Amino acid sequence: METVVSGIRSTGNLHLGNYYGALQNFIKMQDEYNCFFFIADLHSLTTHPTPANLHGNVKQVLIEYLAAGIDPEKATIYVQSDVPEVTELYLYLNMNAYLGELERATSFKDKVRANPENVNAGLLTYPVLMAADIIIHKATKVPVGKDQEQHLEMARTFGNRFNRLYNHDYFPEPFAFSFGESLVKIPGLDGKGKMGKSEGEGNAIFLGDTPEAIRKKVMRAVTDSGPTVENQQKPQEIQNLFDLMKVVSTPDTLAHFDESYNKMAIRYGDLKKQLAEDMVLATAPIRDRINAIASDADYLRKVAEMGAEKARESASRTIREVREIIGFRKF
């Protein structure tokens, strides 16, 4: 079976963007591929979490991985920091990653603009660590969101550069994979870009949000004063709401509100109420499982330990071979 690798940063609760952009694909893939799904706690260090927050966030993502439907008997679920071989490969790849290409990464430039006082080396070399995560298991398929495509391209670059430098066809090329569908990008509620934790509490609908919290967030979503001509193009903040409705509502519901907008009869309050109820319905099964799994500490420990053992078995084999290719020898 081909190998699939993907991970989610442990920076708090997972949201609809994580679910529809990644987790749904994870669940489909676990029956047909050799899957490694990790919790990226090392990546989260770029934002300097406290020790208590770091562990709590890792635990929450593990709970929500399981609640969303990832089966630890089918897929390898592990915590990134439990596999030290990843950081060793990260070091080797960093030796052949160049400042100019790292500075040109779109996500790096965005983060520099957003947090000019926290431009650390971890942010700069983020794509190198991501490449190590992927190629350490020799993955060929990576279920990523649209915003991560450039990082995946860089992972191919670093793997191919290693192969050329050491004249050894070792790392295969990983490619984006979304189970035959286009890559999904879930917009946030702030009327701007994608749904995310760093954009503010009200921008994201979390998988564990209560129905009341979901309704409150959706009703506060950014809108405008309404269309001024029939069939006009929707501005981004309105298109975002329709894009959200596209993933959680029925086609008939979407068509109804689309027609209302085109006829200048749209009532945003009605649209938001419908969207909120559809989100409540879509997240209900996951929310119930989150509540059930969260209290089972023994099960969570067992899953993490089993995943670490399986991931290290794969990663240590790669590191052993990489060391030999590079030229490290024991006396």
Side-chain angles (χ1 to χ4, degrees), residues 21-182:
L23 288 172
Q24 271 199 333
N25 275 331
F26 290 5
I27 295 155
K28 293 175 186 174
M29 291 170 187
Q30 63 186 357
D31 289 315
E32 299 181 28
Y33 296 92
N34 178 32
C35 293
F36 292 88
F37 300 133
F38 66 94
I39 300 165
D41 56 341
L42 296 176
H43 283 289
S44 75
L45 295 179
T46 59
T47 53
H48 308 138
T50 66
N53 284 343
L54 179 62
H55 179 70
N57 288 343
V58 169
K59 180 181 177 183
Q60 192 61 37
V61 176
L62 178 58
I63 290 166
E64 292 176 1
Y65 264 176
L66 297 167
I70 301 178
D71 185 343
E73 299 294 335
K74 296 178 180 178
T76 301
I77 306 172
Y78 65 98
V79 180
Q80 187 185 29
S81 62
D82 284 343
V83 185
E85 291 83 1
V86 170
T87 54
E88 185 173 344
L89 183 58
Y90 172 46
L91 171 68
Y92 300 150
L93 296 179
N94 263 329
M95 298 304 181
N96 300 300
Y98 300 105
L99 181 62
E101 65 188 342
L102 295 173
E103 287 180 330
R104 286 193 296 273
T106 303
S107 63
F108 176 69
K109 291 189 285 190
D110 289 346
K111 287 182 172 70
V112 168
R113 277 193 294 269
N115 299 287
E117 303 305 313
N118 182 30
V119 185
N120 55 62
L123 284 175
L124 181 69
T125 60
Y126 194 99
V128 188
L129 181 54
M130 182 172 170
D133 289 321
I134 295 165
I135 68 177
I136 201 159
H137 300 299
K138 294 189 171 182
T140 53
K141 287 181 164 45
V142 183
V144 294
K146 197 80 177 168
D147 59 315
Q148 293 289 324
E149 283 185 296
Q150 187 185 34
H151 282 169
L152 188 54
E153 186 179 328
M154 294 175 82
R156 287 193 291 273
T157 296
F158 299 139
N160 287 334
R161 187 174 293 158
F162 179 93
N163 293 348
R164 286 196 307 273
L165 183 64
Y166 295 106
N167 194 28
H168 201 294
D169 188 18
Y170 185 71
F171 289 117
E173 288 193 327
F175 289 93
F177 182 57
S178 59
F179 230 75
E181 301 162 8
S182 59

Side-chain angles (χ1 to χ4, degrees), residues 170-235:
Y170 185 71
F171 289 117
E173 288 193 327
F175 289 93
F177 182 57
S178 59
F179 230 75
E181 301 162 8
S182 59
L183 295 176
V184 178
K185 183 176 179 180
I186 304 298
L189 297 171
D190 62 1
K192 298 173 186 174
K194 65 171 185 171
M195 185 172 288
K197 296 179 279 281
S198 59
E199 283 76 18
E201 177 78 15
N203 179 56
I205 300 294
F206 297 113
L207 299 182
D209 274 347
T210 64
E212 294 74 23
I214 292 173
R215 293 181 186 114
K216 190 179 291 186
K217 287 180 182 179
V218 174
M219 294 310 291
R220 289 176 178 168
V222 176
T223 54
D224 62 7
S225 55
T228 54
V229 295
E230 289 191 357
N231 299 310
Q232 76 175 51
Q233 184 176 348
K234 300 179 184 76

